[in-house]
Amino acid sequence: MNGTLESVRSAGNICSRREFGDVQLHVEWQAPVKVQGYGQGRGNSGVFVLGGMYEVQVLDSYETNPADMKNPNYADGQAGAVYGQNP
């Protein structure tokens, strides 16, 4: 499948058996059609790198706005953020 991996619900993590130095990683994900839940409860996942030291956040953070709290979440928890490190 051209190097494509797909994660399905309840199948667990996808992990490499090999270690890599520099990499270029392309990640695509699909947000749910029906928006449900708030904050971290909306399709929360991530891509762990450097042996789990860092997580690139994969989260449906659509309509996150601290001003109106429609979908409350913190800056370093937004989609694409390096979780707990960088917004």
Coordinates of all heavy atoms in Angstrom, one line a residue:
M1 N 0.8 -1.2 0.0 CA 0.0 0.0 0.0 C 0.9 1.3 0.0 O 0.5 2.2 0.6 CB -0.9 0.0 1.2 CG -2.1 -1.0 1.1 SD -3.2 -1.1 2.6 CE -3.8 0.6 2.6
N2 N 2.0 1.3 -0.7 CA 2.8 2.5 -0.8 C 3.3 3.0 0.6 O 3.4 4.2 0.8 CB 2.1 3.6 -1.5 CG 1.8 3.2 -2.9 OD1 2.5 2.4 -3.5 ND2 0.7 3.7 -3.5
G3 N 3.5 2.1 1.6 CA 4.0 2.6 2.9 C 2.9 3.1 3.8 O 3.2 3.7 4.8
T4 N 1.6 3.0 3.4 CA 0.5 3.5 4.2 C 0.1 2.6 5.3 O 0.0 1.4 5.1 CB -0.7 3.8 3.3 OG1 -0.3 4.7 2.2 CG2 -1.9 4.3 4.0
L5 N -0.1 3.1 6.5 CA -0.6 2.4 7.6 C -1.9 3.0 8.0 O -2.1 4.2 8.0 CB 0.4 2.5 8.8 CG 1.7 1.8 8.6 CD1 2.6 2.2 9.9 CD2 1.6 0.3 8.5
E6 N -2.8 2.1 8.5 CA -4.1 2.6 8.9 C -4.4 2.0 10.3 O -4.3 0.8 10.5 CB -5.2 2.2 7.9 CG -6.6 2.6 8.3 CD -7.7 2.2 7.3 OE1 -7.3 1.6 6.3 OE2 -8.8 2.4 7.7
S7 N -4.8 2.9 11.2 CA -5.2 2.5 12.5 C -6.7 2.4 12.6 O -7.4 3.3 12.1 CB -4.7 3.5 13.5 OG -5.2 3.1 14.8
V8 N -7.3 1.3 13.1 CA -8.7 1.2 13.2 C -9.1 1.1 14.7 O -8.2 0.7 15.5 CB -9.2 -0.1 12.5 CG1 -9.0 0.1 11.0 CG2 -8.6 -1.3 12.9
R9 N -10.3 1.4 15.0 CA -10.7 1.5 16.4 C -10.5 0.2 17.2 O -10.7 -0.9 16.6 CB -12.2 1.8 16.4 CG -12.8 2.0 17.8 CD -14.3 2.3 17.8 NE -14.5 3.5 17.1 CZ -14.7 4.7 17.8 NH1 -14.6 4.7 19.1 NH2 -14.9 5.8 17.1
S10 N -10.0 0.3 18.4 CA -9.7 -0.8 19.3 C -8.6 -1.8 18.8 O -8.5 -2.9 19.3 CB -11.0 -1.6 19.6 OG -12.0 -0.7 20.1
A11 N -7.8 -1.4 17.8 CA -6.8 -2.3 17.3 C -5.5 -2.1 18.0 O -4.5 -2.9 17.8 CB -6.6 -2.1 15.8
G12 N -5.4 -1.1 18.8 CA -4.1 -0.8 19.5 C -3.2 0.1 18.7 O -3.6 0.7 17.7
N13 N -2.0 0.3 19.2 CA -1.0 1.2 18.6 C -0.3 0.6 17.4 O -0.1 -0.6 17.3 CB 0.1 1.6 19.6 CG -0.5 2.4 20.7 OD1 -1.5 3.1 20.6 ND2 0.1 2.3 21.9
I14 N 0.1 1.4 16.5 CA 1.0 1.0 15.4 C 2.4 1.5 15.8 O 2.6 2.7 16.0 CB 0.6 1.7 14.0 CG1 -0.8 1.2 13.6 CG2 1.6 1.4 13.0 CD1 -1.4 1.9 12.4
C15 N 3.3 0.6 15.9 CA 4.7 0.9 16.3 C 5.7 0.3 15.3 O 5.5 -0.8 14.8 CB 5.0 0.3 17.7 SG 3.9 0.9 19.0
S16 N 6.8 1.0 15.1 CA 7.9 0.5 14.3 C 8.8 -0.4 15.2 O 9.0 -0.1 16.3 CB 8.7 1.7 13.7 OG 9.8 1.2 13.1
R17 N 9.3 -1.5 14.5 CA 10.3 -2.3 15.2 C 11.7 -1.8 15.1 O 12.6 -2.2 15.8 CB 10.2 -3.7 14.7 CG 8.9 -4.4 15.0 CD 8.9 -5.8 14.5 NE 7.6 -6.4 14.8 CZ 7.1 -7.4 14.1 NH1 7.8 -8.0 13.1 NH2 5.9 -7.9 14.4
R18 N 11.8 -0.9 14.1 CA 13.1 -0.3 13.8 C 13.2 1.1 14.5 O 12.3 1.8 14.7 CB 13.3 -0.1 12.3 CG 13.4 -1.4 11.6 CD 13.5 -1.3 10.1 NE 14.5 -0.3 9.7 CZ 14.6 0.3 8.6 NH1 13.7 0.1 7.7 NH2 15.6 1.2 8.3
E19 N 14.5 1.5 14.7 CA 14.8 2.9 15.1 C 15.2 3.7 13.9 O 15.9 3.2 13.0 CB 15.8 2.9 16.2 CG 15.4 2.2 17.5 CD 16.4 2.4 18.6 OE1 17.4 3.1 18.4 OE2 16.2 1.7 19.6
F20 N 14.9 5.0 13.9 CA 15.2 5.8 12.8 C 16.0 7.1 13.3 O 15.7 7.5 14.5 CB 14.0 6.3 12.1 CG 13.2 5.1 11.4 CD1 12.2 4.5 12.1 CD2 13.5 4.7 10.1 CE1 11.6 3.4 11.6 CE2 12.9 3.7 9.6 CZ 11.9 3.0 10.3
G21 N 16.8 7.7 12.5 CA 17.4 8.9 12.8 C 16.5 10.0 12.3 O 15.3 10.1 12.8
D22 N 16.9 10.8 11.4 CA 16.1 11.9 10.8 C 15.0 11.2 10.0 O 15.2 10.3 9.2 CB 16.9 12.8 10.0 CG 17.9 13.6 10.8 OD1 17.7 13.7 12.0 OD2 18.8 14.2 10.2
V23 N 13.8 11.8 10.1 CA 12.7 11.3 9.3 C 11.8 12.4 8.9 O 11.8 13.5 9.5 CB 11.8 10.2 10.1 CG1 12.5 9.0 10.5 CG2 11.1 10.9 11.3
Q24 N 11.1 12.2 7.8 CA 10.0 13.1 7.4 C 8.7 12.3 7.5 O 8.6 11.2 6.8 CB 10.2 13.6 5.9 CG 9.2 14.5 5.5 CD 9.4 15.1 4.1 OE1 10.5 14.9 3.5 NE2 8.5 15.7 3.5
L25 N 7.8 12.7 8.3 CA 6.6 11.9 8.6 C 5.4 12.7 8.1 O 5.3 13.9 8.3 CB 6.5 11.7 10.1 CG 5.3 10.9 10.6 CD1 5.4 9.5 10.1 CD2 5.3 10.9 12.1
H26 N 4.6 12.1 7.3 CA 3.3 12.7 6.8 C 2.2 11.9 7.4 O 2.1 10.7 7.3 CB 3.3 12.5 5.3 CG 2.0 13.1 4.7 ND1 1.9 14.3 4.2 CD2 0.8 12.5 4.5 CE1 0.7 14.5 3.7 NE2 0.0 13.4 3.9
V27 N 1.3 12.7 8.1 CA 0.2 12.1 8.8 C -1.1 12.7 8.3 O -1.2 13.9 8.2 CB 0.3 12.3 10.4 CG1 -0.9 11.7 11.1 CG2 1.5 11.6 10.9
E28 N -2.1 11.9 8.0 CA -3.4 12.4 7.6 C -4.4 11.7 8.5 O -4.2 10.5 8.9 CB -3.7 12.0 6.2 CG -2.9 12.8 5.2 CD -3.3 12.4 3.7 OE1 -4.4 11.9 3.5 OE2 -2.4 12.7 2.8
W29 N -5.4 12.4 8.9 CA -6.5 11.8 9.7 C -7.8 12.5 9.3 O -7.9 13.5 8.7 CB -6.2 11.9 11.2 CG -6.5 13.3 11.8 CD1 -7.6 13.7 12.4 CD2 -5.5 14.3 11.9 NE1 -7.5 15.0 12.8 CE2 -6.2 15.4 12.6 CE3 -4.2 14.5 11.6 CZ2 -5.6 16.6 12.9 CZ3 -3.6 15.7 11.8 CH2 -4.3 16.7 12.5
Q30 N -8.9 11.8 9.6 CA -10.2 12.3 9.3 C -11.0 12.6 10.6 O -11.1 11.8 11.5 CB -10.9 11.2 8.5 CG -12.3 11.6 8.1 CD -13.0 10.6 7.2 OE1 -12.3 9.7 6.7 NE2 -14.3 10.7 7.0
A31 N -11.5 13.8 10.7 CA -12.3 14.2 11.8 C -13.7 13.6 11.6 O -14.1 13.4 10.4 CB -12.4 15.7 11.9
P32 N -14.4 13.3 12.6 CA -15.7 12.7 12.5 C -16.7 13.6 11.8 O -16.6 14.8 11.9 CB -16.2 12.4 13.9 CG -15.1 12.9 14.8 CD -14.0 13.4 14.0
V33 N -17.6 13.1 11.0 CA -18.6 13.9 10.3 C -19.6 14.5 11.4 O -19.9 15.7 11.3 CB -19.4 13.0 9.4 CG1 -20.6 13.8 8.7 CG2 -18.5 12.4 8.3
K34 N -20.0 13.8 12.3 CA -20.9 14.3 13.4 C -20.0 14.7 14.6 O -19.3 13.9 15.2 CB -21.8 13.2 13.9 CG -22.8 13.8 14.9 CD -23.8 12.7 15.3 CE -24.8 13.3 16.3 NZ -25.8 12.3 16.7
V35 N -20.0 16.0 14.9 CA -19.2 16.6 15.9 C -19.9 16.2 17.3 O -21.0 16.6 17.5 CB -19.0 18.1 15.8 CG1 -18.3 18.7 17.0 CG2 -18.3 18.4 14.5
Q36 N -19.1 15.5 18.1 CA -19.6 15.2 19.5 C -18.5 15.4 20.5 O -17.3 15.2 20.2 CB -20.0 13.7 19.5 CG -21.2 13.4 18.7 CD -21.6 11.9 18.8 OE1 -20.7 11.0 18.6 NE2 -22.8 11.6 19.1
G37 N -18.9 15.7 21.7 CA -17.9 15.9 22.8 C -17.2 17.2 22.8 O -17.4 18.1 21.9
Y38 N -16.3 17.4 23.7 CA -15.6 18.6 23.9 C -14.2 18.4 24.3 O -13.9 17.4 24.9 CB -16.3 19.5 25.0 CG -17.7 19.9 24.7 CD1 -18.7 19.1 25.1 CD2 -17.9 21.0 23.8 CE1 -20.0 19.4 24.8 CE2 -19.2 21.3 23.5 CZ -20.3 20.5 24.0 OH -21.6 20.9 23.6
G39 N -13.3 19.3 23.9 CA -11.9 19.2 24.3 C -11.2 17.9 24.0 O -11.3 17.4 22.8
Q40 N -10.6 17.3 24.9 CA -9.8 16.1 24.7 C -10.7 14.9 24.4 O -10.2 13.8 24.0 CB -8.9 15.8 25.9 CG -7.9 16.8 26.2 CD -6.8 16.8 25.2 OE1 -6.2 15.8 24.8 NE2 -6.5 18.0 24.6
G41 N -12.0 15.0 24.6 CA -12.9 13.9 24.3 C -13.4 13.8 22.9 O -14.2 13.0 22.5
R42 N -12.8 14.6 22.0 CA -13.2 14.6 20.6 C -12.1 14.0 19.7 O -11.3 14.6 19.1 CB -13.5 16.0 20.1 CG -14.8 16.5 20.7 CD -15.1 17.9 20.3 NE -15.0 18.2 18.9 CZ -15.3 19.4 18.4 NH1 -15.8 20.3 19.2 NH2 -15.1 19.6 17.1
G43 N -12.1 12.7 19.5 CA -11.2 12.0 18.6 C -9.8 12.2 19.0 O -8.9 12.4 18.1
N44 N -9.5 12.0 20.2 CA -8.1 12.3 20.7 C -7.2 11.1 20.5 O -7.4 10.0 20.8 CB -8.2 12.5 22.2 CG -6.9 13.0 22.8 OD1 -6.0 13.4 22.1 ND2 -6.8 13.0 24.1
S45 N -6.0 11.5 19.8 CA -5.0 10.5 19.5 C -3.7 11.2 19.4 O -3.6 12.4 19.6 CB -5.3 9.7 18.3 OG -4.4 8.6 18.2
G46 N -2.7 10.5 18.9 CA -1.4 11.2 18.7 C -0.4 10.3 18.0 O -0.6 9.1 17.9
V47 N 0.7 10.9 17.6 CA 1.8 10.2 17.0 C 3.0 10.4 17.9 O 3.4 11.6 18.2 CB 2.2 10.8 15.6 CG1 3.4 10.1 15.0 CG2 1.0 10.6 14.7
F48 N 3.5 9.4 18.5 CA 4.6 9.4 19.5 C 5.9 9.3 18.7 O 6.1 8.4 17.9 CB 4.4 8.3 20.5 CG 3.2 8.6 21.4 CD1 2.0 8.0 21.0 CD2 3.3 9.3 22.5 CE1 0.9 8.2 21.8 CE2 2.2 9.5 23.3 CZ 1.0 9.0 22.9
V49 N 6.9 10.1 19.1 CA 8.2 10.1 18.4 C 9.3 10.1 19.5 O 9.0 10.4 20.7 CB 8.4 11.3 17.4 CG1 7.5 11.1 16.2 CG2 8.2 12.6 18.1
L50 N 10.5 9.8 19.1 CA 11.6 9.7 20.1 C 11.3 8.8 21.3 O 11.5 9.2 22.4 CB 12.1 11.1 20.5 CG 12.7 12.0 19.4 CD1 12.9 13.4 20.0 CD2 14.0 11.4 19.0
G51 N 10.9 7.6 20.9 CA 10.6 6.6 22.0 C 9.5 7.0 22.9 O 9.5 6.6 24.1
G52 N 8.6 7.8 22.4 CA 7.4 8.3 23.3 C 7.7 9.5 24.0 O 6.9 10.0 24.8
M53 N 8.9 10.1 23.9 CA 9.2 11.4 24.6 C 8.3 12.5 24.2 O 8.0 13.4 25.0 CB 10.7 11.7 24.3 CG 11.1 13.0 25.1 SD 12.8 13.4 24.7 CE 13.7 12.0 25.4
Y54 N 7.9 12.6 22.9 CA 7.1 13.6 22.4 C 5.9 13.0 21.7 O 6.0 12.0 21.1 CB 7.8 14.5 21.4 CG 9.0 15.2 22.0 CD1 10.3 14.8 21.8 CD2 8.8 16.3 22.9 CE1 11.4 15.4 22.4 CE2 9.9 17.0 23.5 CZ 11.2 16.5 23.2 OH 12.2 17.1 23.8
E55 N 4.8 13.8 21.7 CA 3.6 13.4 21.0 C 3.1 14.5 20.2 O 2.9 15.6 20.6 CB 2.4 13.0 22.0 CG 1.1 12.7 21.3 CD 0.0 12.6 22.3 OE1 0.2 12.7 23.5 OE2 -1.2 12.3 21.9
V56 N 2.9 14.2 18.9 CA 2.3 15.2 18.0 C 0.8 14.9 18.1 O 0.3 13.8 17.8 CB 2.8 15.1 16.5 CG1 2.1 16.1 15.6 CG2 4.3 15.3 16.5
Q57 N 0.1 15.9 18.5 CA -1.4 15.8 18.8 C -2.2 15.6 17.6 O -2.1 16.3 16.6 CB -1.9 17.0 19.6 CG -3.3 16.9 20.1 CD -3.5 15.9 21.1 OE1 -3.4 14.7 20.9 NE2 -3.9 16.3 22.3
V58 N -3.0 14.5 17.6 CA -4.1 14.3 16.5 C -5.4 14.4 17.3 O -5.7 13.5 18.0 CB -3.9 12.9 15.9 CG1 -5.0 12.6 14.9 CG2 -2.5 12.8 15.2
L59 N -6.1 15.5 17.1 CA -7.3 15.8 17.8 C -8.2 16.6 17.0 O -7.8 17.5 16.3 CB -6.9 16.5 19.1 CG -8.1 17.1 20.0 CD1 -8.8 15.9 20.7 CD2 -7.6 18.1 21.0
D60 N -9.5 16.3 17.1 CA -10.5 17.1 16.5 C -10.7 18.4 17.3 O -11.4 18.4 18.3 CB -11.8 16.4 16.3 CG -13.0 17.2 15.8 OD1 -12.7 18.3 15.3 OD2 -14.1 16.8 16.0
S61 N -9.9 19.4 17.0 CA -10.0 20.7 17.8 C -10.8 21.8 17.1 O -10.5 22.9 17.3 CB -8.6 21.1 18.1 OG -7.8 21.3 17.0
Y62 N -11.7 21.4 16.2 CA -12.5 22.3 15.4 C -13.3 23.2 16.4 O -13.8 22.7 17.4 CB -13.4 21.6 14.5 CG -14.4 22.4 13.7 CD1 -13.9 23.3 12.7 CD2 -15.7 22.4 14.0 CE1 -14.8 24.1 12.0 CE2 -16.6 23.2 13.3 CZ -16.1 24.0 12.3 OH -17.0 24.8 11.6
E63 N -13.3 24.5 16.1 CA -14.1 25.5 16.9 C -13.6 25.6 18.3 O -14.3 26.0 19.2 CB -15.6 25.2 16.9 CG -16.2 25.4 15.5 CD -17.8 25.3 15.6 OE1 -18.3 24.5 16.4 OE2 -18.4 26.0 14.8
T64 N -12.3 25.3 18.5 CA -11.7 25.6 19.8 C -11.5 27.1 19.9 O -10.9 27.7 19.1 CB -10.4 24.9 20.0 OG1 -10.6 23.5 20.0 CG2 -9.7 25.3 21.3
N65 N -12.2 27.7 20.9 CA -12.1 29.2 21.1 C -12.1 29.5 22.6 O -13.2 29.4 23.2 CB -13.2 29.9 20.3 CG -13.1 31.4 20.4 OD1 -12.3 31.9 21.2 ND2 -13.9 32.1 19.7
P66 N -11.0 29.8 23.2 CA -11.0 30.1 24.6 C -12.0 31.2 25.0 O -12.4 31.2 26.1 CB -9.6 30.5 24.9 CG -8.8 30.0 23.7 CD -9.7 30.0 22.6
A67 N -12.3 32.1 24.1 CA -13.2 33.3 24.4 C -14.6 32.8 24.8 O -15.2 33.2 25.7 CB -13.2 34.3 23.3
D68 N -15.2 31.9 23.9 CA -16.5 31.4 24.2 C -16.6 30.0 24.8 O -17.7 29.5 25.1 CB -17.4 31.5 22.9 CG -16.9 30.6 21.8 OD1 -16.1 29.7 22.0 OD2 -17.3 30.8 20.6
M69 N -15.5 29.3 24.9 CA -15.4 28.0 25.5 C -16.4 27.0 24.8 O -16.9 26.1 25.4 CB -15.7 28.0 27.0 CG -14.7 28.8 27.7 SD -13.0 28.2 27.5 CE -13.0 26.8 28.6
K70 N -16.6 27.2 23.5 CA -17.5 26.3 22.7 C -16.9 24.9 22.7 O -17.6 23.9 22.8 CB -17.7 26.8 21.3 CG -18.7 26.0 20.5 CD -19.1 26.7 19.2 CE -20.2 26.0 18.5 NZ -20.6 26.7 17.3
N71 N -15.6 24.8 22.5 CA -14.9 23.5 22.5 C -13.6 23.8 23.3 O -12.5 24.0 22.7 CB -14.6 23.0 21.1 CG -13.8 21.7 21.1 OD1 -13.9 21.0 22.1 ND2 -13.1 21.4 20.1
P72 N -13.6 23.8 24.6 CA -12.4 24.2 25.4 C -11.3 23.2 25.2 O -11.5 22.0 25.2 CB -13.0 24.1 26.8 CG -14.2 23.3 26.8 CD -14.7 23.4 25.4
N73 N -10.1 23.8 25.1 CA -8.9 23.0 25.0 C -7.7 24.0 25.2 O -7.9 25.2 25.0 CB -8.7 22.3 23.7 CG -7.8 21.1 23.7 OD1 -7.2 20.8 24.7 ND2 -7.7 20.4 22.6
Y74 N -6.6 23.5 25.5 CA -5.4 24.4 25.8 C -4.5 24.4 24.6 O -4.6 23.5 23.7 CB -4.7 23.9 27.0 CG -4.6 22.4 27.2 CD1 -3.6 21.7 26.7 CD2 -5.7 21.7 27.9 CE1 -3.5 20.3 26.9 CE2 -5.6 20.4 28.0 CZ -4.6 19.7 27.5 OH -4.5 18.3 27.6
A75 N -3.7 25.4 24.5 CA -2.9 25.7 23.2 C -2.0 24.5 22.8 O -2.0 24.2 21.6 CB -2.0 26.9 23.4
D76 N -1.3 23.9 23.7 CA -0.4 22.8 23.3 C -1.2 21.5 23.2 O -0.6 20.4 23.0 CB 0.8 22.7 24.2 CG 0.4 22.4 25.7 OD1 -0.8 22.2 26.0 OD2 1.4 22.3 26.5
G77 N -2.5 21.5 23.2 CA -3.3 20.3 23.0 C -4.1 20.4 21.7 O -4.9 19.5 21.4
Q78 N -3.8 21.4 20.9 CA -4.5 21.5 19.6 C -3.9 20.6 18.6 O -2.8 20.1 18.7 CB -4.3 23.0 19.0 CG -4.9 24.0 19.9 CD -6.4 23.9 20.1 OE1 -7.1 23.7 19.2 NE2 -6.8 24.1 21.3
A79 N -4.7 20.3 17.5 CA -4.2 19.4 16.5 C -2.9 19.9 15.9 O -2.8 21.1 15.6 CB -5.3 19.3 15.3
G80 N -2.0 19.0 15.8 CA -0.6 19.4 15.2 C 0.3 19.9 16.2 O 1.5 20.0 15.9
A81 N -0.1 20.2 17.4 CA 0.8 20.7 18.5 C 1.7 19.5 19.0 O 1.4 18.4 18.9 CB 0.0 21.2 19.6
V82 N 2.9 19.9 19.4 CA 3.8 18.9 20.1 C 3.3 19.0 21.6 O 3.5 20.0 22.3 CB 5.3 19.3 20.0 CG1 6.1 18.3 20.8 CG2 5.7 19.3 18.6
Y83 N 2.5 18.0 21.9 CA 1.7 18.0 23.2 C 2.6 18.3 24.4 O 3.6 17.6 24.6 CB 1.0 16.7 23.3 CG 0.0 16.6 24.4 CD1 -1.2 17.2 24.3 CD2 0.3 15.9 25.6 CE1 -2.1 17.1 25.4 CE2 -0.6 15.8 26.6 CZ -1.8 16.4 26.5 OH -2.7 16.3 27.5
G84 N 2.1 19.2 25.2 CA 2.9 19.6 26.4 C 4.1 20.3 26.2 O 4.9 20.6 27.1
Q85 N 4.4 20.7 24.9 CA 5.7 21.4 24.6 C 5.4 22.7 23.9 O 5.9 23.7 24.3 CB 6.6 20.5 23.8 CG 6.9 19.2 24.4 CD 7.8 19.3 25.6 OE1 8.8 20.1 25.6 NE2 7.6 18.5 26.6
N86 N 4.8 22.6 22.7 CA 4.6 23.7 21.8 C 3.3 23.8 21.2 O 2.8 22.8 20.7 CB 5.6 23.6 20.6 CG 6.7 24.5 20.7 OD1 6.6 25.6 21.3 ND2 7.8 24.2 20.0
P87 N 2.6 24.9 21.2 CA 1.3 25.0 20.5 C 1.4 24.9 19.0 O 2.5 25.1 18.5 CB 0.8 26.4 20.9 CG 1.6 26.9 22.1 CD 2.9 26.1 22.0

